[in-house]
Each structure stands twice: as C-alpha cells, then as structure tokens.
Amino acid sequence: VFKILADAKFNPRREVVLEQPVPAGWQPGRRAGAKPNTAEIINYRANSVEIAADVHTAGLLVFADNNFPGWNVYIDEKKDIIYTGNYINRVVFLTAGQHRVKFIYQPESFRIGKIISLISFFIGLAAIGSEIAYRRKKMGNEALHLIRQAGQS
C-alpha cells in the first residue's frame, strides 16, 4: 500500500488503494459524457458526519478522515460496510442516485460501558430498596414491641 501511495503517479483525488476486495459487480471508471459525482458535508461533528451525495455513475466516496474501529456507516438509513482506503481513510461504495451517507462513531467499548453502568445502577437501586425495607420492618417490629410493653403495664 505504501509503495503505491508514495508513487508520484498516484493521484488521491482520482484513485484509491483499497485494503479489502471490492463488492461483487462493481466496475471502476466513469462513462464518457456522464456528469461528475458530487458530495457535500451537511453536518460534521466529533462523533458523526452526514454527507449528501449525488452519484451519476456508481462509485466510491472516499472520506479523508481516519477509519478506526467504532465507526459505522448508514447509507440511506441502512447500515453498510466501511472499507479502508489509502491506508487510513473511510471509503463506501455508492450506486447511482442521490444518497444520504451518515458516519456514526459507536465504539463497542462505549456500548459495553453503558450496559455495565445500567446494571450497576439497578444493583445500587435494589440495595437501597432492600435497606429501606429492612429499616421499615425493623422500626415496625420495635414499635409493635413498645405497644405490647405499654399494654402489659
């Protein structure tokens, strides 16, 4: 990969080096006379990016941000595959047409942490509830004992 990227003939605006095989049936290149494909960033945040793409011939959308575990892509609200291009970039395959592409950072560690936090919260809630019930029962027994003592005197 590095050898290709370092080659003076390599043009990252027109070419991409993929680390995974391309999807079945995908053909590179543009038809003669076809309008160029366009993409516009609609929303860019630390954990999500939304892009509007107008694709006249099937092609690749190369997003020049780092691709690392935790990023997911949704093309027209459907989860799809992110490929790694040029060693570090996020790449998706788009068919002809208008598309909304959403990259969302959802690391597995965050999901696991959220589950552990919820479990811990409910265990804590149960412990507090148990303590309250125990104290009420204890106070009720003490009150009953005092009433019995008062009745015996």
Side-chain angles (χ1 to χ4, degrees):
V1 173
F2 293 116
K3 188 175 182 180
I4 296 168
L5 295 174
D7 189 330
K9 295 176 187 173
F10 177 73
N11 181 353
R13 293 176 96 26
R14 298 201 165 276
E15 302 170 284
V16 63
V17 179
L18 294 174
E19 294 184 17
Q20 302 97 330
V22 298
W26 185 80
Q27 295 294 319
R30 242 176 29 147
R31 290 189 313 244
K35 290 182 183 179
N37 297 331
T38 60
E40 178 184 356
I41 296 174
I42 302 299
N43 191 354
Y44 188 99
R45 295 184 180 190
N47 294 332
S48 67
V49 180
E50 187 173 356
I51 299 169
D54 191 8
V55 182
H56 300 284
T57 57
L60 304 170
L61 172 66
V62 179
F63 189 63
D65 261 3
N66 290 339
N67 184 25
F68 49 87
W71 281 104
N72 293 292
V73 68
Y74 298 86
I75 300 172
D76 301 325
E77 304 296 325
K78 293 179 186 167
K79 190 168 184 172
D80 212 319
I81 299 169
I82 298 177
Y83 295 84
T84 300
N86 300 341
Y87 188 70
I88 59 170
N89 300 137
R90 286 179 247 158
V91 178
V92 294
F93 289 87
L94 297 176
T95 58
Q98 293 185 339
H99 300 284
R100 285 284 177 158
V101 179
K102 276 185 151 181
F103 290 102
I104 300 175
Y105 187 60
Q106 301 166 314
E108 187 69 17
S109 59
F110 178 76
R111 191 181 70 78
I112 291 169
K114 189 165 62 171
I115 290 169
I116 290 170
S117 295
L118 284 171
I119 290 170
S120 299
F121 172 76
F122 286 116
I123 288 172
L125 206 57
I128 291 169
S130 175
E131 181 65 21
I132 290 170
Y134 171 76
R135 288 185 182 203
R136 280 188 178 168
K137 184 177 179 183
K138 185 177 176 185
M139 287 177 61
N141 287 342
E142 287 177 6
L144 185 61
H145 179 69
L146 290 174
I147 290 171
R148 284 187 185 155
Q149 278 183 346
Q152 291 176 353
S153 11

